């Protein structure tokens, strides 16, 4: 079973389905209480609904909205678990006092980190500038997971390492420390008796044997003025300074990491939090996953994860981001949307489909794949279920099922018949006229009810979008590159959300987008002469997607063929 999951939905509903005490670390970056339109990031139905939800009232309403969610987060955290809540000046005071202290208890406040977002000078006067975010750190109990991290040394501290030898830059630290000792570390070395040093006497930091070893390796510094030797301490050896509360060493998202939406958090920030408060194999949850920064980093750090967002776009961008970074050895993940794509279900592995749909219907599936007498599962009262992963089911299926159900449990079959209740269920994508007529005949003539259930009565199904690509030449650069404009055009009843491009598509590696989110369906890219494979995905409002791959021969002329 895959643990790694991306889930579309209101996090309150999804959190309620997660077991108590099951999560190691929660990071949440909820929409801030800023009452600005830039709080709308994705602009799709899910997000707008959530935006209206939060803005139905003032700050009290916002706090109540967040509080009931944090309550659930507290419940799902393990006793060793921790929560990091990312917010800013708009509501941080209210969040701490009204939510976190109340739910976690004052004693379980661990720290408040200040992320100074950038050191850029701003034209806003110092008094009005609010160039920082707050990250509250709470634990569920005193026995929480915590790993000491270190920050890079400041430039001033680095300057202390001003000496250099073949091993690198170093500073020197004392070999003698205060306090008399009788054992090895109190012995005379290089004619220096440590017990006679200083007012109270001193001792070596290690044994004379070890000091000789250090000397051989050139790790001891002998001052020219004949003073006590000192130990060389190299810049490389220094782990840095223990992590402090103010983080001014993490820049806003830049370069290749940028996906193109305003509230994206830097991976370095999440790396710090995840490494600080979890270990490999732990489960990390982000209930406001946005563009998937938390889960992307969690996956890189070999932890398991669950990401939730109410926006289809956020979930799909996160999915593509994960796909881009994963390789053959990565742990697979699942994506749960509101609707299921007909083609994916219809052509899924038969047994996988049978067991999944039987469960969705409220039954349990037969464990043995063969010799199941045509019965694939049963309802809690043992009424049999058969699954046909096809369309247009014929009359003979009904008759065969009737015999199988009767053979399976004759007593139950007769009981159900007497009670005028279904003797069994057949699940299929659609039923032909013959099957419907036969089921009706059995009911009328023999009082045998076989209920025909279509898959879309159990789970919502939609057709995935369709897509076409066009290519036009914009210019041929001096450096021999062809500047081409690729235009994708998608159609879906649900409406198109965005497109995603992979301009050096490799079937073996899968879709690795060079541009994750393109709202327009237009991508300009420079190609060298030669053969290129280009893939574009279209994502619709239900989160369903389709892919088109073309072969593009660029050489004097441009020739496009479908793959
Ligand atoms: C500030 S963004 C998170 C950004 C994220 N940390 C990142 O680095 O990409 C907040 C996200 O919360 C989502 N959201 C808002 N209300 C929600 C709700 N009730 N349930 C689930 N997600 C919600 C929004 O759709 C948005 O993607």
């Amino acid at each position: 079973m895959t643990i790694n999951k991306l889930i579309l939905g209101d996090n309150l509903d999804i959190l309620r389905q997660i077991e108590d005490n099951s999560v190691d670390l929660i990071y949440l970056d909820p929409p801030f209480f800023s009452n600005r339109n830039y709080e709308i990031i994705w602009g799709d139905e899910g997000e707008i609904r959530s935006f209206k939800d939060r803005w139905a009232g003032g700050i009290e309403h916002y706090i109540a909205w967040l509080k009931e969610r944090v309550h659930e987060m507290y419940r799902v955290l393990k006793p060793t678990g921790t929560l990091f809540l990312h917010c800013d000046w708009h509501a941080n005071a209210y969040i701490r006092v009204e939510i976190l202290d109340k739910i976690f208890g004052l004693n379980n406040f661990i720290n408040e980190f200040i992320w100074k977002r950038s050191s850029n000078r701003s034209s806003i006067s110092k008094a009005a500038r609010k160039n920082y975010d707050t990250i509250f750190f709470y634990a569920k109990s005193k026995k929480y997971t915590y790993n000491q991290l270190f920050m890079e040394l400041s430039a001033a501290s680095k300057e202390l390492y001003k000496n250099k030898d073949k091993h690198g830059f170093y500073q020197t630290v004392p070999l003698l420390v205060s306090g008399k000792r009788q054992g090895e570390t109190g012995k005379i070395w290089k004619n220096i008796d440590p017990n006679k040093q200083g007012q109270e006497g001193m001792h070596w930091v290690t044994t004379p044997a070890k000091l000789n070893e250090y000397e051989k390796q050139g790790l001891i510094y002998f001052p020219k003025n004949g003073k006590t030797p000192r130990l060389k301490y190299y810049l490389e050896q220094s782990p840095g300074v223990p992590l402090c509360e103010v983080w001014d060493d993490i820049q806003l998202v830049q370069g290749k990491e940028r996906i193109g939406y305003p509230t994206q958090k830097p991976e370095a920030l999440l790396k710090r939090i995840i490494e600080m408060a979890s270990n490999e194999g732990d489960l990390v949850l982000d209930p406001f996953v946005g563009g998937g920064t938390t889960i992307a980093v969690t996956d890189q750090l070999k932890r398991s994860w669950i990401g939730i967002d109410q926006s289809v776009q956020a979930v799909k961008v996160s999915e593509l981001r994960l796909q881009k970074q994963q390789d053959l050895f990565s742990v697979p993940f699942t994506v749960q949307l509101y609707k299921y794509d007909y083609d994916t279900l219809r052509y899924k592995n038969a047994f996988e489909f049978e067991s999944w749909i039987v469960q969705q219907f409220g039954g349990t599936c037969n464990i043995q794949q063969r010799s199941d007498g045509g019965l694939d599962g049963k309802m809690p009262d043992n009424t049999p279920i058969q699954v046909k992963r096809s369309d247009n089911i014929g009359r003979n299926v009904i008759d065969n099922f009737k015999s199988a159900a009767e053979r399976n449990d004759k007593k139950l079959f007769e009981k159900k018949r007497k009670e005028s209740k279904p003797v069994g269920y057949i699940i299929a994508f659609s039923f032909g006229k013959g099957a419907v007529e036969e089921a009706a005949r059995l009911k009328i003539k023999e009082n045998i009810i076989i209920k025909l259930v279509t898959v879309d009565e159990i789970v919502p199904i939609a057709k995935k979008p369709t897509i076409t690509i066009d290519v036009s030449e914009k210019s041929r650069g001096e450096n021999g590159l062809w500047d081409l404009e690729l235009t994708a055009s998608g159609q879906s009843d649900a409406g198109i959300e965005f497109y995603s491009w992979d301009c050096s598509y490799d079937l073996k590696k899968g879709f690795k987008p060079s541009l994750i989110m393109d709202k327009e369906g237009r991508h300009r890219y420079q190609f060298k002469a030669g053969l290129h494979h280009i893939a574009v995905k279209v994502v619709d409002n239900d989160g369903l997607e389709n892919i088109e791959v073309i072969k593009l021969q660029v050489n004097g002329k441009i020739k496009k063929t479908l793959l």
Side-chain angles (χ1 to χ4, degrees):
M1 206 184 83
T2 51
I3 306 175
N4 300 342
K5 276 186 214 141
L6 254 172
I7 305 172
L8 172 66
D10 184 334
N11 47 27
L12 187 60
D13 302 333
I14 311 293
L15 280 160
R16 284 179 177 148
Q17 296 162 27
I18 299 179
E19 266 178 52
D20 295 359
N21 306 319
S22 56
V23 175
D24 295 283
L25 164 63
I26 298 179
Y27 166 83
L28 65 149
D29 173 20
F32 295 170
F33 182 76
S34 54
N35 197 7
R36 299 254 193 96
N37 279 341
Y38 70 58
E39 251 202 90
I40 300 266
I41 313 165
W42 312 104
D44 57 41
E45 283 168 28
E47 194 193 17
I48 289 171
R49 200 169 40 243
S50 159
F51 182 76
K52 285 188 179 150
D53 230 27
R54 289 193 310 281
W55 281 104
I59 182 80
E60 296 79 17
H61 183 86
Y62 175 79
I63 292 300
W65 174 87
L66 191 56
K67 192 171 183 178
E68 59 179 340
R69 288 168 170 79
V70 176
H71 255 298
E72 290 299 323
M73 293 175 210
Y74 180 80
R75 180 186 59 75
V76 304
L77 269 184
K78 286 184 185 166
T80 49
T82 51
L83 174 137
F84 292 76
L85 194 154
H86 192 139
C87 51
D88 74 359
W89 64 273
H90 290 94
N92 58 3
Y94 299 89
I95 289 175
R96 178 164 174 189
V97 176
E98 294 297 328
I99 301 181
L100 296 168
D101 283 348
K102 290 207 169 124
I103 295 177
F104 282 80
L106 277 168
N107 288 343
N108 289 321
F109 164 82
I110 310 294
N111 214 337
E112 173 179 349
F113 296 114
I114 301 297
W115 174 41
K116 196 162 166 270
R117 288 193 300 263
S118 74
S119 49
N120 291 351
R121 295 216 180 124
S122 150
S123 55
I124 305 171
S125 80
K126 258 193 179 165
R129 211 182 297 156
K130 300 176 192 75
N131 183 24
Y132 73 94
D133 285 356
T134 305
I135 302 166
F136 289 122
F137 173 18
Y138 279 73
K140 195 162 177 180
S141 77
K142 287 279 164 263
K143 281 193 180 163
Y144 59 93
T145 304
Y146 180 72
N147 303 313
Q148 176 67 61
L149 300 185
F150 295 87
M151 289 166 91
E152 215 193 311
L153 292 178
S154 65
S157 307
K158 278 187 187 164
E159 270 175 25
L160 297 174
Y161 296 79
K162 52 179 185 267
N163 309 308
K164 196 174 178 210
D165 69 6
K166 61 176 180 180
H167 300 297
F169 286 98
Y170 67 90
Q171 58 170 311
T172 63
V173 293
L175 272 177
L176 278 175
V177 285
S178 55
K180 275 190 180 180
R181 295 286 185 276
Q182 295 306 321
E184 284 290 302
T185 56
K187 287 197 170 154
I188 295 175
W189 184 70
K190 298 277 172 197
N191 292 327
I192 301 169
D193 182 350
N195 288 321
K196 294 196 178 140
Q197 305 294 312
Q199 282 185 347
E200 306 286 330
M202 300 185 105
H203 66 278
W204 300 109
V205 288
T206 185
T207 60
K210 199 85 190 157
L211 291 172
N212 287 335
E213 224 177 90
Y214 284 169
E215 186 187 358
K216 253 194 220 155
Q217 290 168 18
L219 301 178
I220 295 189
Y221 171 72
F222 293 93
K224 290 207 174 75
N225 56 12
K227 279 195 177 166
T228 323
R230 290 168 69 85
L231 185 66
K232 294 180 185 173
Y233 186 64
Y234 292 88
L235 182 57
E236 287 244 308
Q237 281 176 282
S238 163
V241 278
L243 189 69
C244 64
E245 304 72 38
V246 179
W247 299 353
D248 56 1
D249 57 338
I250 296 177
Q251 298 300 306
L252 287 167
V253 182
Q254 286 164 351
K256 279 194 179 160
E257 207 182 307
R258 274 181 75 88
I259 292 178
Y261 61 95
T263 59
Q264 183 185 355
K265 301 296 177 291
E267 292 200 359
L269 185 89
L270 270 304
K271 185 168 184 281
R272 179 164 293 172
I273 293 171
I274 293 162
E275 285 183 336
M276 186 195 323
S278 70
N279 296 309
E280 272 192 24
D282 281 358
L283 178 58
V284 177
L285 165 70
D286 186 342
F288 294 91
V289 82
T293 313
T294 311
I295 57 172
V297 177
T298 305
D299 207 65
Q300 291 159 19
L301 296 174
K302 299 193 171 28
R303 276 85 165 148
S304 302
W305 50 264
I306 298 174
I308 308 168
D309 206 289
Q310 207 177 38
S311 150
V312 165
Q313 236 181 86
V315 168
K316 293 304 286 184
V317 164
S318 300
E319 179 186 352
L320 288 162
R321 186 167 176 184
L322 258 297
Q323 274 174 7
K324 185 174 177 175
Q325 76 172 32
Q326 285 204 334
D327 58 26
L328 282 174
F329 305 103
S330 304
V331 179
F333 65 93
T334 56
V335 182
Q336 183 182 313
L337 302 168
Y338 295 142
K339 291 200 178 159
Y340 294 89
D341 160 34
Y342 171 86
D343 288 342
T344 310
L345 292 184
R346 178 77 175 72
Y347 302 106
K348 214 181 166 101
N349 165 294
F351 184 65
E352 227 178 86
F353 175 73
E354 279 166 17
S355 45
W356 177 78
I357 198 74
V358 165
Q359 279 174 37
Q360 299 291 321
F361 190 55
T364 44
C365 58
N366 284 346
I367 300 163
Q368 77 257 49
Q369 287 190 41
R370 284 187 199 90
S371 65
D372 57 5
L375 304 178
D376 301 307
K378 55 185 183 211
M379 293 304 277
D381 68 353
N382 280 337
T383 313
I385 306 170
Q386 186 175 65
V387 179
K388 290 283 170 198
R389 195 182 40 119
S390 40
D391 273 297
N392 219 5
I393 297 303
R395 175 186 298 264
N396 60 330
V397 171
I398 312 299
D399 293 331
N400 293 341
F401 177 71
K402 184 196 121 188
S403 314
E406 198 169 1
R407 255 197 329 269
N408 177 53
D409 187 341
K410 188 144 177 67
K411 242 167 109 187
L412 179 71
F413 186 91
E414 286 308 331
K415 182 171 169 276
K416 294 278 177 182
R417 185 181 190 169
K418 257 195 211 136
E419 292 170 353
S420 300
K421 288 192 177 150
V423 297
Y425 300 89
I426 304 179
I427 301 172
F429 281 90
S430 64
F431 294 90
K433 197 162 160 251
V436 176
E437 281 173 3
E438 180 62 358
R441 188 193 67 77
L442 285 171
K443 185 176 174 189
I444 296 162
K445 301 268 177 201
E446 303 181 37
N447 200 36
I448 294 172
I449 302 175
I450 294 176
K451 192 117 175 76
L452 309 185
V453 187
T454 54
V455 173
D456 64 358
E457 288 176 76
I458 305 172
V459 289
I461 292 187
K463 288 259 181 207
K464 62 185 176 191
T466 57
I467 180 164
T468 51
I469 317 185
D470 256 332
V471 183
S472 63
E473 185 176 325
K474 285 290 163 192
S475 67
R476 193 172 306 174
E478 297 129 32
N479 45 3
L481 294 173
W482 273 260
D483 182 8
L484 304 185
E485 183 168 77
L486 308 160
T487 316
S489 159
Q491 269 88 39
S492 158
D493 290 345
I496 300 300
E497 279 295 341
F498 68 93
Y499 301 85
S500 186
W501 296 90
D502 179 355
C503 291
S504 42
Y505 179 71
D506 175 344
L507 187 62
K508 280 195 217 119
K509 288 189 184 149
F511 188 74
K512 304 275 174 204
S514 41
L515 174 62
I516 289 191
M517 189 171 54
D518 159 30
K519 294 275 211 177
E520 305 295 324
R522 230 176 268 276
H523 186 28
R524 250 172 106 163
Y525 199 82
Q526 294 194 318
F527 292 89
K528 284 188 189 151
L531 182 66
H532 300 272
H533 289 96
I534 296 157
V536 60
K537 272 194 181 183
V538 58
V539 174
D540 75 9
N541 243 310
D542 289 326
L544 302 188
E545 60 174 47
N546 206 345
I547 184 168
E548 179 83 299
V549 183
I550 56 166
K551 247 169 42 175
L552 198 63
Q553 185 68 54
V554 180
N555 201 354
K557 276 194 251 149
I558 294 160
K559 193 169 155 230
K560 175 190 113 175
T561 32
L562 289 179
L563 201 71

